[in-house]
């Protein structure tokens, strides 16, 4: 094998030209990266059925104005750098096959297997806004060869004048460090998900680019990366639910096979409307709900509505987080004078807010007699006991009328006891089989209720005082499932109903 020697003097010369801060220099060169977070994974290949890692997919990512287009770099037996994800190309091991042999078979669109040189040259044509996200694949032959691939890639990027367009990523921490050593001004993100942002920052790197499940397991790493001022990137994010979560959490980059879908989600996201996430639970732990975030209302007094359940405290039979969702479970079982057990969770600690947007993704229980609710009560009861200090019901549903969800507002002047509550129903035929997003937006002038981002009910501040508008105080969130009661039990309770579950995918609270 050819021995590769990188001339240190040449590298110093190449890097020496970059004395101006990278940003100023970029501006001079007319480079302004697209302000969206979209990194097309292996180029924008999927929707148009282009081959992954092809020049066509790179060009399409640039045409879509993605902020980055990612590609994978490997090295052939004769030290050519080529673009391919797997260590094999048409069953030939890339590292053990000469370049001339590999290119005998074209890509599915007729393109020749791209070299890094052609890829970078194409990536710089008509492109001043899409980063070239260069993944250096570790060598399957040796650690040393991985270092050599890094050296050669960095040298070529500089030779072609692509340094300011290029960002590097690798699963191999030593390759990341090597790139940074060769080009201290470049931007390098680590992929492997096994180091905290603090450690990555201390190692001199510029970002963490981890599988999104790593951030679900370590939500504290999101805040840590922001504190450390290093970039947050997640791969490979292909569903709306995952995209929404990352957007809500302010990820700078999101690496995806579906850049078109991500473009749509960005338009719809709360973040795009100026909302900032201030509190959330994605329910990614297992077992009881996080006790830093949730407390319980306990007991079986009927709760003012002749309800049948006893609400338990921290009992996983009634409140359980599993497989990414919270389940509130009502069981037919005797407890004191009650015939069911269930749970009523309340946000605690920092879990109360004055104004904002509260969104809860939930799938409702089914069965005559169930009465699930997502709602808000005042924390300090400044204007007196219920209903004077107010109540906001984001979603209520009763089992005998499964196709309608309701939002309501209760105040001293407007409440159900005197028949003056302000309420509105929304027809939703699959509330019991699909997750829907129930949300409230609340400011000093009005309260708006949404189902799946469709506004269906607004309540305005009349300015006539707390009797009509007590909503100028902090409110907290409640999630519960009642059984029976004045409303839920109006048509009786199904005798055969032994168990009913409300499932909550996430709770997110935003403020402006
Ligand atoms: Mg890759």
């Amino acid at each position: 094998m050819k021995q590769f020697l990188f001339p240190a003097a040449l590298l110093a010369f190449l890097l020496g030209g970059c004395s101006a801060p990278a940003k100023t220099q970029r501006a001079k060169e007319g480079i302004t990266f697209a302000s969206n977070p979209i990194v097309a994974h292996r180029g924008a290949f999927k929707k148009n059925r282009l081959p992954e890692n092809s020049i066509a997919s790179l060009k399409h990512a640039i045409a879509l104005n993605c902020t980055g287009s990612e590609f994978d770099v490997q090295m052939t037996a004769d030290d050519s750098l080529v673009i391919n994800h797997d260590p094999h190309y048409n069953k030939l091991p890339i590292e053990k096959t000469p370049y001339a042999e590999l290119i005998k078979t074209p890509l599915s669109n007729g393109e020749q297997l791209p070299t890094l040189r052609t890829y970078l040259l194409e990536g710089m044509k008509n492109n001043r806004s899409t980063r070239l996200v260069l993944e250096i694949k570790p060598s399957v032959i040796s650690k040393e060869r991985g270092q050599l691939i890094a050296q050669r890639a960095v040298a070529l990027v500089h030779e072609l004048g692509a340094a300011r367009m290029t960002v590097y990523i690798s699963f191999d921490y030593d390759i990341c460090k090597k790139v940074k050593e060769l080009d201290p001004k470049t931007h390098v993100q680590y992929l492997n998900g096994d180091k905290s942002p603090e450690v990555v920052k201390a190692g001199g790197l510029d970002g963490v680019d981890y599988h999104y499940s790593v951030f679900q397991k370590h939500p504290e790493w999101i805040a840590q990366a922001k504190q450390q001022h290093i970039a947050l990137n997640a791969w490979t994010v292909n569903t709306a639910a995952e995209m929404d979560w990352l957007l809500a959490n302010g990820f700078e980059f999101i690496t995806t096979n579906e850049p078109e879908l991500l473009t749509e989600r960005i338009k719809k996201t709360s973040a795009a409307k100026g909302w900032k996430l201030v509190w959330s639970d994605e329910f990614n732990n297992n077992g009881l709900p996080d006790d830093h975030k949730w407390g319980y209302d306990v007991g079986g007094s009927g709760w003012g509505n002749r309800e049948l359940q006893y609400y338990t405290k921290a009992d996983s039979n009634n409140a359980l987080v599993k497989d990414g969702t919270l389940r509130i479970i009502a069981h037919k079982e005797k407890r004191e004078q009650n015939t069911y057990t269930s749970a009523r969770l309340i946000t605690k600690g920092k879990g109360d807010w004055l104004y904002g947007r509260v969104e809860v993704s939930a799938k409702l229980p089914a069965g005559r007699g169930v009465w699930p609710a997502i709602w808000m009560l005042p924390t300090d009861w400044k204007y007196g006991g219920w209903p004077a200090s107010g109540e906001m019901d984001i979603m209520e549903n009763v089992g005998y009328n499964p196709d309608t969800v309701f939002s309501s507002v209760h105040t001293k002047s407007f409440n159900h006891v005197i028949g003056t509550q302000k309420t509105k129903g929304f027809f939703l035929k699959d509330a019991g089989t699909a997750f829907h997003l129930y949300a409230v937006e609340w400011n000093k002038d009005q309260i708006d209720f949404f189902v799946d981002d469709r506004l269906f009910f607004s309540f305005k501040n009349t300015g006539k005082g707390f009797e009509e508008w007590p909503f100028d105080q902090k409110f907290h969130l409640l999630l519960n499932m009642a059984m029976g009661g004045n409303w839920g039990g109006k048509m009786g309770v199904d005798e055969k109903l032994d168990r009913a579950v409300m499932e909550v995918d996430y709770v997110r609270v935003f403020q402006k």
Side-chain angles (χ1 to χ4, degrees), residues 49 77 141 206 219 499:
R49 300 179 182 206
I141 295 172
D206 307 280
R499 186 176 183 272

Side-chain angles (χ1 to χ4, degrees), residues 41-42 70-72 85 135 137 169:
H41 180 238
R42 305 178 195 167
E70 188 260 5
F71 51 95
D72 303 295
H85 176 264
E135 179 175 349
K137 287 289 180 194
I169 57 176

